[in-house]
Amino acid sequence: MRIPGARALTAVALASGLVLSACASGPETRPDPVAATPTDGAAAAPDAGTAEQAAAAEAPAPKKPARGPAGDFARAVEIAQKGELTAAEAALSTLTRENPKLDYAWTNLGIVQERLGKPEEAERSYRQALAVAPEQEAAWDCLARLYGRTGRSVKLEAELRGLLDSRKDSVTLRTALATTLLHQKKHESAATEAKLALKGDERHVRAMQVLAQVYYREGKNELARMVLENARAIDAGDAATHNALGLVYLALKARPQALESFKQAAKLRPDFAEARNNFGALLNEAQDYPAAVTELEAAVRAAPDFASARLNLGNAYRGQGDFARSRAEYEQVLKLLPGTTDPYFNLAILYLDVEPPGMDALERYNTAISYFDQFQAKGGKDERITQYVKDARKNIEREERRRERERKDQLRKAAEEKAEADKQAAEKAAAEKAAAEAAAPKPAEAPAPA
């Protein structure tokens, strides 16, 4: 049976001044698979602030990088954008060692280190960038998100409040504090700090994005739309604004506008993992699986530990009937987020939807039921499971009846073949006996008596 793919959407904000996508670990997962009303399969819900962010390039790398630090930086960024993260880390480490005052080189180094799963080293790089440029917004934004993902937002909040005691007019610090409060779901306080930042700079796009995220989380979608459209008017090239607008349009049931916003965000920043994930998720819903695979594979290349993108990529592969690659993505999500339930649901659907090569049919349906059981045992809830399990059991019963009929047919056929063989053997024996009797010499006749 063919079941449409699920979607998993994530929202993110953009920091200015960087070239690389930043902070690439996986987002929070939603506790209830029904919350995002996916067409099928559980997925991560839209998250307006805790998912990773991609950084925009105010000054793109030159086509022909000059010699010296600027050229080295541009080449390192180019290497990172190709996905050669180890080489990029080496190049940026050399660059920062030789030119320790290059604050954006430090920030990009931190971004690469996060992608490589080195959060402690990434934090040191971000803080080194801030030691050189205390007001570098991108470094503060990356640091705030890193602390949010590692459960230390309260600690960073205290640090930022302490710094603001002596730098009350710092729009950058206010915005970073608003982001940190957003991570803690302190929506009212986050909105207050974002508004204070905007009071200092009414055209500050990042603060507008944070404020819009608060409104989005509170269900004030029209307000969020207005703020984001104002941000877009200020900077139409900010990919994060387009991505956030896509989520808001989706909440307002304006799907064409949402699709176009995600598409534009991905176009502006090809390595913007969240935007490409969101675009791919909607393509999954439209059952345009080849296009979805293109977007979602790009998202995973940009952020290898982006769990929602891998979940959606598994759905896209499933839509194409590629059992092995779909299962591999779902299993990877379980490795990234061992406590999550969604992959169990999607694995169950995969076994129902696609016939695994070389697998026994009964094993296939029982495996699907087993995954549904694991999903529920770990706290997952979905009202469709009862029907799915019922259908799977019917398929099992149907297969068992088919096999019983086949077994009986084979027994009957074997009996008929045996009877035919016995008959032919008897006939052969009789024929051989008759032939033997005919060939035997007849006894001489006794002479008649005189």
Side-chain angles (χ1 to χ4, degrees):
M1 59 184 173
R2 175 62 55 198
I3 304 172
R7 63 181 169 85
L9 304 182
T10 53
V12 18
L14 232 60
S16 61
L18 285 176
V19 178
L20 300 180
S21 292
C23 315
S25 59
E28 294 180 351
T29 57
R30 64 184 172 82
D32 184 355
V34 182
T37 58
T39 14
D40 181 70
D47 190 315
T50 58
E52 293 60 58
Q53 55 97 16
E58 288 185 352
K63 293 181 179 179
K64 293 182 179 180
R67 293 181 180 180
D72 293 340
F73 176 75
R75 281 186 286 273
V77 166
E78 184 179 354
I79 292 170
Q81 289 176 331
K82 291 179 180 178
E84 300 171 8
L85 300 180
T86 301
E89 182 187 26
L92 288 165
S93 294
T94 300
L95 182 61
T96 52
R97 186 168 57 252
E98 295 175 351
N99 303 273
K101 298 297 183 182
L102 292 178
D103 56 307
Y104 275 107
W106 282 110
T107 305
N108 276 276
L109 176 58
I111 291 167
V112 170
Q113 289 167 335
E114 275 207 72
R115 289 198 200 174
L116 288 170
K118 302 176 179 180
E120 293 179 358
E121 294 179 31
E123 180 178 346
R124 284 196 292 270
S125 295
Y126 295 145
R127 288 198 176 278
Q128 189 61 43
L130 292 170
V132 176
E135 292 288 320
Q136 195 210 98
E137 188 172 75
W140 274 116
D141 198 54
C142 286
L143 194 63
R145 294 176 182 283
L146 177 60
Y147 270 63
R149 281 192 300 278
T150 52
R152 296 178 294 155
S153 290
V154 173
K155 182 177 180 180
L156 188 62
E157 177 190 349
E159 179 183 346
L160 286 164
R161 290 191 185 280
L163 291 171
L164 280 165
D165 285 341
S166 58
R167 293 153 62 185
K168 296 183 184 298
D169 295 333
S170 173
V171 172
T172 296
L173 292 179
R174 290 280 177 202
T175 305
L177 178 56
T179 301
T180 299
L181 292 166
L182 187 67
H183 292 171
Q184 299 175 64
K185 300 182 180 179
K186 298 178 179 178
H187 295 158
E188 185 176 351
S189 298
T192 298
E193 295 300 331
K195 289 174 182 177
L196 286 172
L198 288 169
K199 187 176 180 179
D201 179 1
E202 62 181 11
R203 296 175 61 82
H204 195 267
V205 171
R206 177 69 186 110
M208 296 171 78
Q209 290 169 349
V210 175
L211 182 60
Q213 289 170 13
V214 171
Y215 291 150
Y216 173 78
R217 288 188 174 195
E218 293 178 337
K220 301 173 182 177
N221 296 311
E222 283 294 348
L223 275 176
R225 180 186 62 78
M226 291 172 59
V227 172
L228 289 169
E229 287 180 349
N230 287 336
R232 183 179 60 185
I234 293 170
D235 184 1
D238 191 314
T241 298
H242 290 278
N243 185 62
L245 263 173
L247 290 170
V248 173
Y249 284 142
L250 203 58
L252 293 169
K253 304 188 184 305
R255 301 187 72 78
Q257 293 94 322
L259 188 66
E260 185 58 33
S261 292
F262 293 141
K263 182 178 180 179
Q264 183 64 19
K267 181 180 179 181
L268 286 167
R269 294 296 308 154
D271 57 351
F272 189 170
E274 287 72 25
R276 300 202 77 160
N277 171 60
N278 291 344
F279 189 26
L282 290 192
L283 290 170
N284 264 349
E285 287 193 352
Q287 298 186 31
D288 187 352
Y289 298 118
V293 165
T294 297
E295 296 301 318
L296 294 164
E297 284 181 343
V300 169
R301 281 195 302 272
D305 56 355
F306 189 177
S308 286
R310 288 194 176 276
L311 191 69
N312 280 324
L313 182 55
N315 292 340
Y317 285 145
R318 192 187 80 220
Q320 290 186 318
D322 192 333
F323 180 89
R325 296 173 82 179
S326 178
R327 182 177 64 180
E329 292 301 327
Y330 295 148
E331 290 175 346
Q332 184 63 24
V333 176
L334 287 174
K335 291 179 182 178
L336 291 169
L337 300 172
T340 191
T341 60
D342 297 346
Y344 293 107
F345 187 96
N346 287 27
L347 278 164
I349 295 298
L350 174 64
Y351 277 87
L352 293 179
D353 193 20
V354 182
E355 185 174 348
M359 177 175 279
D360 177 81
L362 290 180
E363 181 184 356
R364 170 191 171 192
Y365 293 124
N366 280 315
T367 300
I369 293 173
S370 173
Y371 278 123
F372 280 133
D373 289 343
Q374 291 180 72
F375 172 73
Q376 292 180 308
K378 292 179 179 295
K381 297 178 182 179
D382 194 292
E383 59 187 9
R384 298 164 293 178
I385 288 181
T386 300
Q387 186 60 48
Y388 284 151
V389 171
K390 184 178 179 181
D391 291 342
R393 295 197 187 283
K394 283 184 179 179
N395 287 333
I396 290 172
E397 293 172 2
R398 189 179 299 113
E399 178 64 17
E400 287 176 340
R401 288 196 299 269
R402 186 192 66 78
R403 293 188 183 191
E404 181 62 20
R405 288 194 303 270
E406 191 175 83
R407 187 184 69 82
K408 289 180 179 179
D409 288 343
Q410 289 174 345
L411 289 174
R412 183 175 63 254
K413 185 177 179 180
E416 290 173 351
E417 289 175 350
K418 184 176 184 303
E420 181 63 23
D422 291 345
K423 179 182 177 182
Q424 291 178 1
E427 290 175 349
K428 182 179 179 181
E432 290 175 348
K433 180 179 179 181
E437 290 176 348
K442 295 182 179 179
E445 294 183 359

